[in-house]
Amino acid sequence: MTALALERVTKAYGSRAVIHETSLEVAAGERVALIGPSGCGKSTLLRMILGLVLPDAGIVRVGKTEVNEQSSRAVRRRVGYVIQDGGLFPHLTAEQNVTLVARLSDDANPTRMRERVRELAELVRLPEGLLSRHPLALSGGERQRVGLMRALMLDPELLLLDEPLGALDPIVRARLQEDLRDAFGKLGKSVLIVTHDMAEAAYLANAIVVMRDGALLQRGTMKELSTSPAHPFVAEFLGAQRTLAEALE
Amino acid sequence: MKRAAWLVALTLLAIAGWTFTTPASADDAKPMRVGSKRFVESYVLAEMVTQLVRQQGVTAQHDQGLGGTAVVFRALEDGAIDVYPEYTGTLAETAVKSGASDLTALRAALAPRGLALSEPLGFENTYALAVSRAVATRLGLTKISDLVAHPELRVALSNEFVGRRDGWPGLVERYGLRFPSPKAIDHALAYEAISRGETDVVDVYTTDAKIVRFDLVVLADDLHFFPPYEAVLVYRADLPRRVPSFARVLDRMRGAIDASAMQRMNARADLDGVPFARVAEDFLAGAGASTRPSAPVGLLAGTLEVVRRHGPRHLMLVVVSLAMSILVGLPLGVLAYSRRRIGVAVLGIAGVVQTIPSLALFCFFIPLLGIGPVPALAALFLYGLLPIIRNTYAGLVSIPADLREAAVAIGLSPTERLRHVELPLASRTILAGIKTSAVVAVGSATIAAFIGAGGFGEPISTGLSLNDVTTILEGAIPSAAMALLVEASFLLVERFVVPRGLQHAR
């Protein structure tokens, strides 16, 4: 079973190709990290999955559904999406942010919703007292936890995370990485996470895809990438990540 | 929040309903309407007609100081008023635009328009030029042709006189005057200007009480330029049929007032501050000579009286026009946001409307909607649109791109996004636009009085024509207070409308 499939997808803005004949599969329950330098097309790829950007050629499938203009809104409700800093709406409380889409559905059940919110708060380790706060009264890490809750609220089959921890300080970031890994483990969901931190990718995902200039260079585990890089850039990109040990020398 | 919004809406509707049901006179189906131009004599004469009609047991309403000749004449043509006092020379030049100013020619010209003319009221009020006694003595001025030798004199003329063919341009031509272009000034202020020595030559009406008061010398029209300006009543030709007793009013007014009686009445109203209605009443009762100034009312008491009498109407004008502006402006702002091309056009048109001077816009609606509160509401509504459209658009456009995309990405439909994300996020800006419109409406509504819409502008327009600062203040103070009140009340509204999460921000 594939949770997500991109087949020879191409996207150009004017004459500039952002994504070039790219194919990618995420199996059910698989966690894939997409890494690469800024501007390599990672985010465009992610937005394509949600139908925010439609490909010029090729097919994007979420589950069995082909993503196009008609299907995209239904697809978005089956996919959890987390962006940097949470993307929370400042006029709603944390809880209102989490339940916004659920509240608008026809079979909204307040009791079940409250239960679900409590369950998710526990999963992402957000103190329940913070649920009534507005985003501006939360820290960056807390906002990101709420953003994750919002993405998980409708129990999506696929979770997309676009540099979710990019804006956080190292301590908060490390703690959130742990909590994310725990949550992923408990949920068993398919995950596609965009990052440019190699260690984070290795920590959170079981497969890593390296991307450059709109094309996928190599897919494999961290070990495979470092022992047998398929492209000089893969080796270069891995080598560019300083370790603490190196820095101390 | 939803409940609070409903509460605000219902309260506004209740206020609007209450003010709509308390108009100036509500006793008869369609009262006869008497109009007047914006100067004392016109007020007094119109008041006299109104009272005579009432004496016949017919409901009548005096729409005071509707504007200049063009506005009032058009109001009559459109049937918004039934009768108003006018002068033969004025009719010949501005309204009928035929040269002839004798009654027969005028009647023939007016008949096809469904209008008729009364017999002369008994006095003439012609235009004349006047100079201060000091200037007249120093330069030996007695007639208009004496001015030819003194192009250095400063000339300040009423707005209407400057433009009329039978006014300044014709006069210059006939006499060969060589003044640089004259300064235009409100008629009531011209006397002040000449008494303070800020100007030398002004235009006057020959029955004007201020000629004596300011000790002016009227220059003789030695080349007989000015046509006769006999006072008459112009009325809708079907009026005697609709209101049979109007014939008796015409009869009573025929030749009833001589020039000195008119000058005395002008003096009482203008110099002694006796209310127009009282001046007219006294004359009709044959007590025209008893000059008894009205007991001076304090500014505070006067202002309170103005608030009581004109407040509800002013509030109605503001609330109803603002409600319409919101109902139309908000969706237009949203449209401008979602369809950028249309948006540019909408904002452009609304911007152009905003640049039309308010009095002009008010007058523009007279042929379409008559006079009174309806054209005023239309004009105020248009004025209120731009700030609301612009701020709705600006508020929506300024939503950060990532939030807008997040709303799409979590699967909200366009309507859901607007309702639950975009409008709440833009609410503070939108509300600021509505507040601007409200404050502008409070101010612009004072100008609505010039087209007979009532409100705080009524004492202001009266005060302007009397050059009476106290009366002006009686209208200006409550209007300013209302503007401040509107500002303050919006702080309260903001707490209900703007989501709490946005209130701590910024």
Side-chain angles (χ1 to χ4, degrees), chain A residues 47 50 52 73 76-77 79 81 83-84 87-93 97 100-101 103-104 132 134 136 150 154, chain B residues 402-414 416-417 420-422 424-425 499-502 504-505:
Chain A
R47 298 170 74 234
L50 291 165
L52 297 171
R73 188 133 56 86
R76 286 167 196 155
R77 299 205 175 201
V79 176
Y81 181 52
I83 61 173
Q84 204 174 78
L88 301 179
F89 303 124
H91 64 291
L92 301 176
T93 63
N97 263 287
L100 178 58
V101 178
R103 273 185 287 136
L104 296 177
S132 57
H134 285 90
L136 281 163
R150 181 171 71 182
L154 295 182
Chain B
D402 57 337
L403 284 186
R404 205 175 312 153
E405 188 169 281
V408 181
I410 63 173
L412 297 180
S413 72
E416 288 169 340
R417 290 200 302 265
H420 295 282
V421 178
E422 294 168 338
L425 285 177
R500 218 162 51 83
L502 298 179
H504 303 299

Side-chain angles (χ1 to χ4, degrees), chain B residues 73 91 95-98 100 103-115:
Chain B
F73 187 75
L91 276 175
V96 178
K97 296 204 169 72
S98 77
L103 287 174
T104 324
L106 283 177
R107 284 198 170 111
L110 288 170
R113 306 175 181 221
L115 303 181

